Amino acid sequence: MRFTVYLPNCMNVAAITQPWEHSLTGHDIARVAHSAEQLGYSMVFLPEHFLTPTEHVELSGNHYFDATTAQAFVAGATSTITVGSMVTILPLHHPVVAAKSIATLDWFSGGRAQVTVGVGWLKEEFDAIGVPFNKRGRLADECLAAMFELWHSDSPSFDGEFVKFNDVAFGPKPIRKPHPLVWMGGDAEPVLRRAARFGDGWAPWLTKPEELPAKLDYLRSQQGFNDRPFSVFYSLAMLSVGQEHTIVDDPNAQFGQSAQQVIDNCNKLAELGVTDTWVNPPPLNDFNAYLDHMQWVAEEVVPKVD
């Protein structure tokens, strides 16, 4: 199993974010990414939102970045670790601009870009930006198809419902071939079908651990999957977050304090098909305690997980 790090102070979600995170600067976040790289973690992640409706601020917060811009900053502070999003709300981006920004990140980072595609859940955010919320799934599918055309083809052309281009050139192409890592975030069947068609991985949010095998069977049965290498990200921390970021009091959401409890939890997830995880920290007092927890996981847990 590969171990990742969700970068602190990149969201203020009441169910997960700890009070000490609010004082962290960009320099501090870059320090976390650099430490994760030195400790052997595989990837760092950060989320994305553009606007938060006032009624959602208490649970969701209003502290989010444009994912690709923030990823580029983190990539510049590191050398080898993969720099990802969790998630990029793709329907809120024009596919040509998204393809260019992600390819730019991948090119400058030497092939270390990753994007987890989400279709979004805040209708008010879509309304404010002028994107039809009820078409977000179709938009995501077309965005991905158009982006792949730009990344893969030497003479890209596309004739879709929402985007059209022809007689154009696109460069530089991404360093990673055939394209930067693309995971699909979400739980519904259309997400699984999208993952089978386009994805290098799947990152559920509201799915329970015991539901993973059936959903993975469904995903792998879909047209386009073809048994390619595929990642499954799952963290027990997500059990504390419900629909629309409500707080869920699930006793399985927090890992135990002992290394063996964490190891056992990770091995159980691996048996369910999980390939990548994030070990969320217990309540901590400060930033240094967070860095210590990362080192503890790297030294006491990672070597003992199958």
Side-chain angles (χ1 to χ4, degrees):
M1 180 177 285
R2 294 179 294 264
F3 287 79
T4 67
V5 171
Y6 225 121
L7 292 171
N9 201 30
C10 290
M11 63 179 178
N12 288 346
V13 174
I16 293 179
T17 305
Q18 299 196 31
W20 54 267
E21 294 184 40
H22 303 319
S23 64
L24 298 187
T25 65
H27 175 78
D28 295 325
I29 295 169
R31 183 180 170 193
V32 172
H34 180 71
S35 296
E37 180 175 85
Q38 296 297 110
L39 290 168
Y41 287 89
S42 64
M43 191 181 301
V44 292
F45 289 116
L46 54 90
E48 173 177 89
H49 274 295
F50 298 99
L51 299 167
T52 307
T54 303
E55 64 182 299
H56 289 286
V57 169
E58 182 178 359
L59 292 176
S60 299
N62 63 354
H63 179 82
Y64 296 90
F65 301 106
D66 172 86
T68 311
T69 304
Q71 287 172 262
F73 172 80
V74 172
T78 55
S79 301
T80 59
I81 197 166
T82 299
V83 182
S85 68
M86 185 77 78
V87 300
T88 296
I89 309 173
L90 191 59
L92 296 180
H93 296 263
H94 192 285
V96 174
V97 178
K100 177 62 73 170
S101 62
I102 295 166
T104 299
L105 166 63
D106 197 68
W107 192 90
F108 273 98
S109 68
R112 294 188 288 127
Q114 185 270 4
V115 57
T116 304
V117 170
V119 299
W121 60 274
L122 278 171
K123 182 177 184 299
E124 298 91 337
E125 186 174 23
F126 279 71
D127 292 344
I129 297 174
V131 176
F133 184 73
N134 63 350
K135 296 182 179 179
R136 67 194 189 282
R138 286 157 51 200
L139 277 163
D141 287 340
E142 189 165 302
C143 282
L144 287 162
M147 290 163 61
F148 281 22
E149 174 68 10
L150 291 166
W151 288 340
H152 299 166
S153 175
D154 292 331
S155 301
S157 65
F158 195 85
D159 185 14
E161 179 183 358
F162 305 105
V163 61
K164 303 175 187 293
F165 50 81
N166 194 18
D167 295 325
V168 298
F170 180 92
K173 303 293 188 185
I175 296 293
R176 186 182 181 96
K177 302 302 178 188
H179 50 251
L181 287 171
V182 177
W183 294 1
M184 302 301 154
D187 305 273
E189 287 189 357
V191 174
L192 299 175
R193 293 193 293 270
R194 188 172 301 119
R197 180 182 175 190
F198 295 107
D200 302 297
W202 173 49
W205 187 262
L206 300 174
T207 296
K208 302 298 183 184
E210 61 271 17
E211 299 169 346
L212 287 170
K215 289 196 173 186
L216 286 170
D217 285 345
Y218 177 82
L219 188 158
R220 292 175 176 130
S221 72
Q222 298 305 299
Q223 184 176 2
F225 183 72
N226 298 329
D227 285 333
R228 64 182 178 275
F230 195 82
S231 300
V232 179
F233 173 86
Y234 196 92
S235 170
L236 292 183
M238 303 311 163
L239 295 175
S240 65
V241 186
Q243 194 78 35
E244 298 186 353
H245 291 170
T246 56
I247 299 172
V248 179
D249 186 17
D250 190 318
N252 296 310
Q254 285 291 336
F255 288 101
Q257 293 299 303
S258 75
Q260 191 58 54
Q261 286 175 303
V262 180
I263 292 164
D264 291 344
N265 281 328
C266 291
N267 282 329
K268 287 176 185 176
L269 290 177
E271 291 172 1
L272 296 172
V274 175
T275 61
D276 299 75
T277 194
W278 167 52
V279 178
N280 56 307
L284 301 172
N285 291 326
D286 55 31
F287 182 44
N288 286 331
Y290 179 81
L291 295 174
D292 289 344
H293 179 265
M294 284 176 52
Q295 183 170 351
W296 177 80
V297 172
E299 294 178 353
E300 302 297 331
V301 174
V302 174
K304 300 174 184 176
V305 174
D306 296 336

